[in-house]
Amino acid sequence: FKEGILAVMLSPNFLMVNNNSLDPNDSLAIRVSYFLKGTLPSQSLREEVARGGYGSHESILHELFSENAQGGMDVFLYEFPYSWLMLADFFFMSPDPKLYHFYDRKQLGEDMKNEALTFFRHVVTQNQPVTELLSADYSFVNADLAQIYGLEDVPMDSKLRKYTFIDGRRGGLLGMGAFLTSTADTLTTSPIHRAVYVMETLMGIHPAPPPPDVKTAEPDVRNAKTIKEVLAAHASDQTCATCHQSIDPWGYAFENFDPSGAWRDHYGVGARNVPIDASSHFRNGSGYTNISEFRELVLSDANRDRFVRCFVSKLLTYANGIEPGVSDYGEIEKILQVSAEHDYRMLETIAAVIDSPLFRQN
């Protein structure tokens, strides 16, 4: 009896929505409901779809504004960023409690996750541009996060409040502890980890792994004082150089942030006289000298579209349970075009995703 139940619960017919046996309106209502609410559609939603309420970009946008005003997108506003930003992996390698007492004692990991979720909710509910996720000069902090971030004018309580940064270092996803801490090691930072996160999660760039049959000699790094010097030694091997040139520039910009997300100008114990060099340049010739210049570089027209395209792909992956394929590129470009026509605003972009065949026919 138990084996039979197990077989049913593991069956794709149980786990996945079977559109083949559904009326098209019911199928769309189910997809919209699970996308926004994470549950079966209500009768009112079924009736709205049957009346054509989700039949065009304009009608979908009208429904999204209504759902947004009534709190009908709350499940999406939590589950999507939690999945997309990989917040479930946050505590995989937490900062060493012996070195980062305050972070450990205050359990700042939860505050950092909530900061990311609160920020994402704000951008969506206020219908800000998708690009605001990267370009924002603000976030939501409390007293404990303020100590990590080096802020002084924050009320001394645990409530997350909107805070505008004026130094160009923080604001948006790129300045958050949730990103900076989860991509560091327990004792040290890793430009490679941070670079791969930015590339794959925010830019939709998937760096190729090194070929399994390539053999490289381990470089002599005994005199290296910084992680940049260590990676430079690795990149001196021509076999490794190509990958490092493509990946490393996406991560060096964050070296001024330690494993807890706090700002530092020098490396830690044993190397306090070694200043941090957070500069780099990409293979196309563009470069930066610090995190502020990197943030500006990420907002170029090409990187803006790359980010929004990645965001659309992540939405489709969340909605369909599978990443878009190469054959879906043309439809994604159509969604990007609609988003651009509406200044990349969140609800208009989400409406374009729901209106796409990639959402409606999967």
Side-chain angles (χ1 to χ4, degrees), residues 202-272:
L202 303 180
M203 293 295 163
I205 304 171
H206 298 279
D213 57 342
V214 170
K215 295 182 179 180
T216 59
E218 191 66 25
D220 185 356
V221 296
R222 287 174 295 181
N223 294 322
K225 297 181 179 180
T226 68
I227 185 64
K228 198 167 191 177
E229 293 176 354
V230 172
L231 293 178
H234 280 276
S236 64
D237 188 316
Q238 192 57 40
T239 308
C240 305
T242 301
C243 287
H244 277 286
Q245 289 170 4
S246 300
I247 297 173
D248 296 358
W250 291 100
Y252 281 137
F254 306 100
E255 272 300 276
N256 282 111
F257 299 104
D258 72 14
S260 72
W263 183 266
R264 61 186 180 181
D265 291 308
H266 297 78
Y267 284 105
V269 177
R272 291 194 178 279

Side-chain angles (χ1 to χ4, degrees), residues 110-131:
E110 289 298 332
D111 283 338
M112 289 178 176
K113 288 199 294 185
N114 288 332
E115 176 193 6
L117 295 170
T118 301
F119 172 74
F120 181 82
R121 171 183 287 271
H122 171 82
V123 173
V124 176
T125 57
Q126 298 301 311
N127 200 23
Q128 296 298 310
V130 176
T131 51

